[in-house]
Amino acid sequence: MNWRLFLIAFGMLFLAEMGDKTQLAVFTLVTQHKQPLPIFLGASAALVVVTLIGALFGDVVAKYVPQAVLQLIAGGLFVVIGIFVLWGAIPEFIRTYLH
């Protein structure tokens, strides 16, 4: 097993997931149901399955699409998502802070 890749994947996912919608959903479920263990196990299983799908799909795609193209596509998608998030936040920001 390549421990360097393991640690890189762990670090990237840990930072990416910190404070995201998944973590907030788990937080909300625990506050509503007061049962952290089944919620933790269910959320962990979901993350494992989603990550497995990503790894398998990535392996197949990597055989047919060059890495530079994948990086451009991924970067472009992040930019587009960022623009949509900002675009949706602007009216709320104006309502909250500029009125």
Side-chain angles (χ1 to χ4, degrees), residues 1 7 12 23 36 39 42-44 55 59 74-75 86 88 91:
M1 180 166 165
L7 292 172
M12 287 179 64
Q23 190 178 32
I39 293 168
S44 297
D59 187 46
L86 286 172

Side-chain angles (χ1 to χ4, degrees), residues 48-93:
V48 166
V49 171
V50 167
T51 303
L52 176 63
I53 291 168
L56 295 175
F57 183 68
D59 187 46
V60 171
V61 170
K63 292 177 183 174
Y64 302 103
V65 182
Q67 182 180 359
V69 173
L70 290 174
Q71 288 175 331
L72 284 172
I73 292 170
L77 287 172
F78 274 108
V79 168
V80 169
I81 291 168
I83 289 169
F84 277 114
V85 169
L86 286 172
W87 189 257
I90 289 171
E92 180 65 28
F93 178 81

Side-chain angles (χ1 to χ4, degrees), residues 25-41:
V26 168
F27 180 84
T28 302
L29 283 170
V30 171
T31 60
Q32 290 174 348
H33 300 284
K34 311 286 191 280
Q35 295 186 37
L37 185 59
I39 293 168
F40 165 75
L41 293 173

